[in-house]
Amino acid sequence: MRITTEAIRAVEEPLDANHARDLDHASDLAARTGVDAEAVISEICRFSVAAPSWAVGTGGTRFGRFPGVGEPRTTEEKLDDVAALHALTGANRTVSLHVPWDDPDDPAALRAHADDLGLGFDAMNSNTFQDNPSTTGNGRISYKFGSFSHPDPVVRAHALEHNLAVVELGVALGARAITVWLGDGMNHPGQARFVDQFERVADGLHALHDALPDGWQMYTEHKPYEPTSYASVNPDWGSSLLLAERAGPKAKCLVDLGHHLPGTNIEQVVSRLAMVGRLGGFHFNDSKYGDDDLTVGSINPYQFFLVALELVDIGGGRMPDIGYMIDASHNLKDPLEDLAQATDQIQLAIAQALLVDRSALAASQDACDPALAAEHLQRAYRFDVRPLVAEARRRNGAALDPVSTFRRLGYRDAAVAERGTESVASGL
Amino acid sequence: MRITTEAIRAVEEPLDANHARDLDHASDLAARTGVDAEAVISEICRFSVAAPSWAVGTGGTRFGRFPGVGEPRTTEEKLDDVAALHALTGANRTVSLHVPWDDPDDPAALRAHADDLGLGFDAMNSNTFQDNPSTTGNGRISYKFGSFSHPDPVVRAHALEHNLAVVELGVALGARAITVWLGDGMNHPGQARFVDQFERVADGLHALHDALPDGWQMYTEHKPYEPTSYASVNPDWGSSLLLAERAGPKAKCLVDLGHHLPGTNIEQVVSRLAMVGRLGGFHFNDSKYGDDDLTVGSINPYQFFLVALELVDIGGGRMPDIGYMIDASHNLKDPLEDLAQATDQIQLAIAQALLVDRSALAASQDACDPALAAEHLQRAYRFDVRPLVAEARRRNGAALDPVSTFRRLGYRDAAVAERGTESVASGL
Amino acid sequence: MRITTEAIRAVEEPLDANHARDLDHASDLAARTGVDAEAVISEICRFSVAAPSWAVGTGGTRFGRFPGVGEPRTTEEKLDDVAALHALTGANRTVSLHVPWDDPDDPAALRAHADDLGLGFDAMNSNTFQDNPSTTGNGRISYKFGSFSHPDPVVRAHALEHNLAVVELGVALGARAITVWLGDGMNHPGQARFVDQFERVADGLHALHDALPDGWQMYTEHKPYEPTSYASVNPDWGSSLLLAERAGPKAKCLVDLGHHLPGTNIEQVVSRLAMVGRLGGFHFNDSKYGDDDLTVGSINPYQFFLVALELVDIGGGRMPDIGYMIDASHNLKDPLEDLAQATDQIQLAIAQALLVDRSALAASQDACDPALAAEHLQRAYRFDVRPLVAEARRRNGAALDPVSTFRRLGYRDAAVAERGTESVASGL
Amino acid sequence: MRITTEAIRAVEEPLDANHARDLDHASDLAARTGVDAEAVISEICRFSVAAPSWAVGTGGTRFGRFPGVGEPRTTEEKLDDVAALHALTGANRTVSLHVPWDDPDDPAALRAHADDLGLGFDAMNSNTFQDNPSTTGNGRISYKFGSFSHPDPVVRAHALEHNLAVVELGVALGARAITVWLGDGMNHPGQARFVDQFERVADGLHALHDALPDGWQMYTEHKPYEPTSYASVNPDWGSSLLLAERAGPKAKCLVDLGHHLPGTNIEQVVSRLAMVGRLGGFHFNDSKYGDDDLTVGSINPYQFFLVALELVDIGGGRMPDIGYMIDASHNLKDPLEDLAQATDQIQLAIAQALLVDRSALAASQDACDPALAAEHLQRAYRFDVRPLVAEARRRNGAALDPVSTFRRLGYRDAAVAERGTESVASGL
């Protein structure tokens, strides 16, 4: 089934009166703090974050996976799910594919399907952290001991070839970027020389960079561990920056919110990469321990607010034009409900960040007055921005209350009816 | 100077109209989610958290301390500052002393001063992590290698004697509890046997316990490291529980929010201790790395909300009657402003926790529906509870906007005029 | 193929002369520090650690698995591999099964096969962290939202039934213990009440405990996270202890070296559990980040030495009679080589611990002399104990140099010839 | 008192015979693994690590400090203590001063005193993380809210002026480098803009860099937190590298082993900085939790071995010519004993690293054989290198067994006799 604005409006009609009242109050309160609520709503309306194709299926851990029901069986059905999500949020206009989990035989047909759904294609993702027939020359090589970093040049050549194929597919689909996240590194001290692994990866990324079409970008994505358990080739933003610099001007760094050691000040990492002109994009999620891939904002929403505030600062008062993607793993929740909650959290954090009086904050900073600075941050963070975000969704033809409305519309039941209870989406 | 309700009202008169409007809206919104705003306000009115005497002065790190101005020179002046804080928040009715940083010659006079200010005495704190003439028999022994855990029984006897003296002082002041936080442990592997240190501390706490007057409680407070850098005798809630059990029925465990290893699920620790009937109290603060002693709620307010929710659950819908103390270090902010911000954060978190529809949450839990559970939590957490908290403060004769009003009232300037710019409060 | 002492001796004959010389020197050096090398060798000879059946196959991460070659296809072949391992180390006399990864149709036949190989059965492991037909009533229930902690009593009943079946199988095989590691907990704040989950698990373990045959033990195994990503029901030693106490006197706590938050002082945890009489056993591995399941001693061998020293102290000069199991994941190394390296590391650490002059160490502790205590620890840790360990292996009919000899004997090639390159062992 | 080679030899004469025997065995064993023991001894003989002047006194934490006895009262006496240390280790030929903790009125006299003791001056250290009259224009400004990063240009000018004065003093003493560790950053979110703080610090370091004399180097030293508790301006190697690049070609990065977030792969950080030509030097220590400043090698000696192996790799088979300093805090041990233990640990780790068969290791790396690589590392790490290190010390005129000999020589008693029990060394 497709979710339409009309269907949403019909379901949500009972909410309209209270929404209007709450919106009035929020606008009034914003005005009192010197902020134009319309400007906030307008920026939320404009913002979009890509949904990853793998995230519309159930995720798992190394200990197992408990599939859901009605999971999409094909990339086309994944797009259908993203379209349903976007209908509810108004803020997921693109989808990010992962090859070969997505490996369309007919890219033109897939693109036409996306067009029909009103969706575009965001950054492509390659996969050299697993062995798949289409990426290993039907098993002639293995990425067990690395891809771009492998001591054997034949393996490295296959890794490059796969990435080039992903770019080619992306061109056919109208995408404009490729994200390169590698599982390369070591599980054991002494397994390799750090500098050898780095140099090989830098060479591979440089070769890929030089083959990128005009207008494309490449994102390097760092992660300290997992699947590696001793050292990753690209473990931190410093390495990611060096790799991007070695690759070339089209290469920028992607920050996945879960790819940091305990205690990392992520908002500072964001600032550093932006400062040197290499902030490329985000994978949004949240975590308590490792790369937990939980709903963004579900563990530390204040930290996420601080990241959003950094972005608004970088963008001079609006969200900068970089890549935004959700990257979460829905092991227990319905994937579409979790994606709707994630998109909501992102919209809420941006709205809060837009409510910060940045010039008053700057004055408190110049005056060495951290207590006053904290007051300014709290004034925005404690603001109930839900009416502003709901209004932005409404104006985009989407839902005031995405999760409830998703349930009322019966999308999952319809999916089960069509796809069955045994379908398993490709992905992790 | 003393801060009066009249003075506050005079300063805050311009805020009244907007406050009334915001309160109306908050009450309306609460009603729509099935919660009686009056009940929330009433519980916030009832709640009080102790201010520690050491926290009205500037704190420092091992690298140094940058004193503020107008710091209290005596315990009496510390009480004056707490009275000013309480006037602004309406929620700091007691003060927690630390001996020998506080060591009144005339306890009766100090108690009379407190009575005059409308303050009571919360848990007493002993100090055997430093060498002070009054705790070491004028330097006859040293706590360099431990106090209750020291291999030398003479040192252990001094530690007990000091704690007994603290209790005696507390009796004179009308306090009812003693918090025992020890610096005991090891900096080096092999420095001591774990079991020997534990047994000695258990014996010491048991002896102290048996000397407690009727109606008194003892709090054991765990901390994984600092000042120890290899092992603490009481590093975790498991050890704290064993020590409390060994001490006796009057002993309960105190949870300092900053005394946990990275990633610890603090709300679960709270639940565990309450489950076995040994949750004694809290030291409120927040941290990003170690025991940073930052303003509670300033780094991860959502985690603090989850702790508050656990407390409300334990208390069956209200805050349980255990010990609540702020324990923060004000290295950069004006101590009173930071304490006002801390108290505000605590009140906000409790209000949010009270807004959770706990029976609806329970239903979602029974139905294995974490997405719905998340909706219930968000519904309360995203609620702008500031008008409810401000109203509770107003009803208690305190300030709608504590920090601004503190500044407008000129308290710090008056303190400087009286105490000078060179005064240094005792404490860390 | 089976590895025999004769075959080992034949391969290692060239090593004998140097071994004799090194052993002489080590014995001489030990004597000079007041330790009888023979006593060390004898204790190493006596010690045995179980090999887990799942660890003779390749392990993986949630991102994928790169199988090895010649992997065991059946539990019988897993036993064959453990027998080969034991032939090389002389210290892996038992195997720890995991049901239903191991689910023999004919337990008596399996036991006979083990007898024939000279192997016994160590602690059995149940599995309610995955859905398997034999544990879920052919899919009637699911453990997606918990097993013993599930809100639905029907699910809990199935979990108990499975555990009882594992005990029954263990009885048939001559095992004497069951390890209960649960994946129960939460991924999301609010998903469940902490206390409800705990109580249900405690009830389930108590029921299982009461059904244990005479002479059996149950091990509760804690882990802070994974597969849970917000809270585990049994996250720390304190919870594990409470659960064991609730279960009954046959229940003890198992310490997996990788199941701790960053910075945890594991040797202290060991001491605490032993102190209260509830230290049940170990899962040996090492880690740098999370539950990396790396070769024990491969990341921080000094920490492992401190754990061994604690054990020797608990055992009054020898390793106490508790459960010892390896629990590692061999994603890149040949599983048997990694298990041989693990066993070697364990033997080395025990030998070093036995070389500590514990009475001199105690004297330095009583004298508050941590510098001298450090000297005592270093004296043992820096000792080259390899000749002592090699000699113990030799006396047990095993190899001086297990990994090299394993390769020279061509075991893996023989396994490939027999089992093929496509076999995939059951397990993670 | 001064410690002479003659006095050492007299005390250690009873050790000589066993030392000779152990050395023979070690040389024989090294030869069997293809390594020339003489080459190892020779490299250890050549190696030197600076002692910091502040580390010959007792250190403390923010909770207090327990002074030792006979502490040096002046910088001259600090040099006397370093000379005693060097007499025992033969490997501490230089001292690293910290201004204004060391602030000689007569630099020429101090230099003459050092010459007389056979000591030179290593990297100078500036201090803008505290307020001292000589660094703040007698209190005209304060570093409470930062030094180079302060919003007020007057404060920044004072910070630069102080650093220039430190360089000037260093020139007078014959030093060739300055280490700039800043306490700058934030305690509170919102306290400052990340990019503003970074830019100001970069500008300050650039100005300092341009004033450096020929032949001088500047070291930027990163640290994630403490004294900051929310964000440091130079928190990680990536920031340190950017700052060094901004400063100029004489600027390199210093790695303090305790200045890393939990789990950081420090050996990889070392490799990265060397790879880009910006590895400047080290502060050696060890830690379990934060910046614990414990004896290097006392918590994870294997990690330290891996760092040493990286250095030997960078140096092409010997330790590269960069800056080496001990930076530890001796809160409980006698400072000189701890420094002797630290120097010993460093010498042991280097010896082990030199014993690695690096070409065999490289072959195992090229062959994707991590099990074999682990064997190569273990072969060196398990080697008892103590005789080789002792022999190197002996050849340098120093002690076979530094700590025992230090005690036998009665140095501390002599210091107490001369300096008293109440002296307190300047420093932390």
Side-chain angles (χ1 to χ4, degrees), chain B residues 189-191 193-194 198 230 232-233 235-239 261 264-265 267-268 271-272 275 310 313 365 373 377, chain C residues 189-191 193-194 198 230 232-233 235-239 261 264-265 267-268 271-272 275 310 313 365 373 377:
Chain B
Q191 181 183 332
R193 286 179 76 231
F194 293 111
F198 182 92
Y230 168 66
S232 292
V233 175
D236 47 29
W237 73 268
S239 297
L261 290 174
T264 300
N265 190 316
E267 50 271 31
Q268 188 178 38
S271 173
R272 287 287 184 274
M275 183 179 74
E310 205 58 39
D313 195 63
Q365 293 168 341
L377 294 190
Chain C
Q191 181 182 334
R193 285 179 76 231
F194 292 112
F198 182 92
Y230 168 66
S232 292
V233 175
D236 47 28
W237 73 268
S239 297
L261 291 175
T264 299
N265 190 316
E267 51 270 32
Q268 188 179 37
S271 173
R272 285 288 183 274
M275 183 180 74
E310 205 59 38
D313 195 63
Q365 293 168 342
L377 293 190

Side-chain angles (χ1 to χ4, degrees), chain A residues 5 108 177 270 290:
Chain A
T5 299
V270 171

Side-chain angles (χ1 to χ4, degrees), chain C residues 21-245:
Chain C
R21 193 150 34 135
D22 294 341
L23 181 60
D24 274 353
H25 183 75
S27 300
D28 172 48
L29 186 56
R32 275 190 258 146
T33 62
V35 175
D36 178 14
E38 275 300 315
V40 175
I41 294 167
S42 163
E43 178 66 5
I44 301 297
C45 281
R46 189 182 72 86
F47 178 80
S48 178
V49 57
S53 67
W54 64 91
V56 293
T58 305
T61 72
R62 68 173 167 134
F63 294 97
R65 183 178 181 276
F66 297 95
V69 291
E71 296 201 353
R73 295 163 296 184
T74 62
T75 299
E76 283 72 17
E77 289 186 355
K78 289 180 180 180
L79 294 188
D80 295 340
D81 278 4
V82 173
L85 172 70
H86 178 52
L88 291 162
T89 67
N92 309 100
R93 291 169 204 138
T94 53
V95 62
S96 189
L97 297 191
H98 196 116
V99 184
W101 298 339
D102 303 299
D103 211 355
D105 295 327
D106 185 346
L110 185 65
R111 186 171 184 173
H113 185 64
D115 283 346
D116 180 49
L117 294 166
L119 297 176
F121 291 92
D122 218 281
M124 305 294 294
N125 298 271
S126 58
N127 177 339
T128 59
F129 53 86
Q130 295 178 325
D131 282 347
N132 291 289
S134 68
T135 64
T136 59
N138 282 306
R140 274 199 298 279
I141 57 99
S142 167
Y143 298 119
K144 182 170 189 168
F145 292 98
S147 61
F148 277 130
S149 75
H150 200 287
D152 183 347
V154 176
V155 177
R156 302 201 295 269
H158 271 87
L160 179 60
E161 188 182 330
H162 166 60
N163 274 276
L164 293 173
V166 171
V167 170
E168 190 181 5
L169 173 60
V171 169
L173 295 173
R176 300 289 290 272
I178 179 169
T179 299
V180 183
W181 174 69
L182 301 170
D184 291 56
M186 308 182 215
N187 280 8
H188 305 285
Q191 181 182 334
R193 285 179 76 231
F194 292 112
V195 69
D196 288 345
Q197 288 199 329
F198 182 92
E199 291 292 341
R200 290 175 194 140
V201 169
D203 288 347
L205 294 179
H206 182 69
L208 175 59
H209 179 277
D210 281 0
L212 289 180
D214 281 351
W216 270 62
Q217 284 202 329
M218 167 200 294
Y219 302 138
T220 58
E221 180 179 359
H222 71 271
K223 184 174 183 182
Y225 63 95
E226 197 211 22
T228 53
S229 48
Y230 168 66
S232 292
V233 175
N234 189 3
D236 47 28
W237 73 268
S239 297
S240 197
L241 175 58
L242 291 179
L243 286 171
E245 288 174 349

